[in-house]
Amino acid sequence: MIRVPRADIDETRLHPVEGRTVCPYKGLCHYYGIGDQDRAVWSYRTAYREVDRIGDMVSFEPDHVEGTLDGRRLHVEPGPKAISHGLDADEAKVR
C-alpha cells in the first residue's frame, strides 16, 4: 500500500465508486477509482478519533497504481501480510 497525504494528490483524478466497508478500528472506508482501475484507492475520511491522523491520508493499491515522487518510483515497504476474511459484514448495510 502506498499512503499519501490528501494535500499531495490531485483529487480531480479520482472518481468515487459504489460500496463502502467498515473497519472496527478505523471507521468507514470510502473507495475511489483512478483511470479504469476501480477500488484502487481508498480513504478513511471520517476515521475514528483515536486514529484521526489517517483521515487526511489516501491509500493506493500498488498492484493497480504506480506511485512516483520527484520522478522516482515509490516501492512498497515490506510489512505484515494481511489475511482477507472476505467481504466486510457491514458492507451491505452501508451502501
Side-chain angles (χ1 to χ4, degrees):
M1 161 182 35
I2 300 169
R3 188 173 291 143
V4 180
R6 187 174 300 279
D8 291 344
I9 67 164
D10 178 2
E11 288 192 70
T12 64
R13 307 278 309 268
L14 305 179
H15 56 273
V17 296
E18 284 193 43
R20 295 183 180 97
T21 56
V22 177
C23 172
Y25 305 105
K26 296 175 273 191
L28 182 63
C29 184
H30 296 262
Y31 293 92
Y32 304 90
I34 186 166
D36 62 352
Q37 298 290 320
D38 284 344
R39 292 181 78 124
V41 183
W42 68 94
S43 179
Y44 289 90
R45 296 207 72 158
T46 54
Y48 294 145
R49 186 181 71 244
E50 295 83 0
V51 294
D52 64 355
R53 67 185 178 280
I54 68 168
D56 284 334
M57 304 298 277
V58 179
S59 298
F60 295 85
E61 180 60 54
D63 294 339
H64 301 287
V65 178
E66 181 179 304
T68 60
L69 177 63
D70 297 330
R72 296 178 64 194
R73 185 173 181 188
L74 298 174
H75 295 281
V76 178
E77 295 292 324
K81 297 286 184 196
I83 299 172
S84 175
H85 60 275
L87 289 176
D88 192 306
D90 292 326
E91 184 173 10
K93 295 178 190 174
V94 178
R95 283 189 180 188

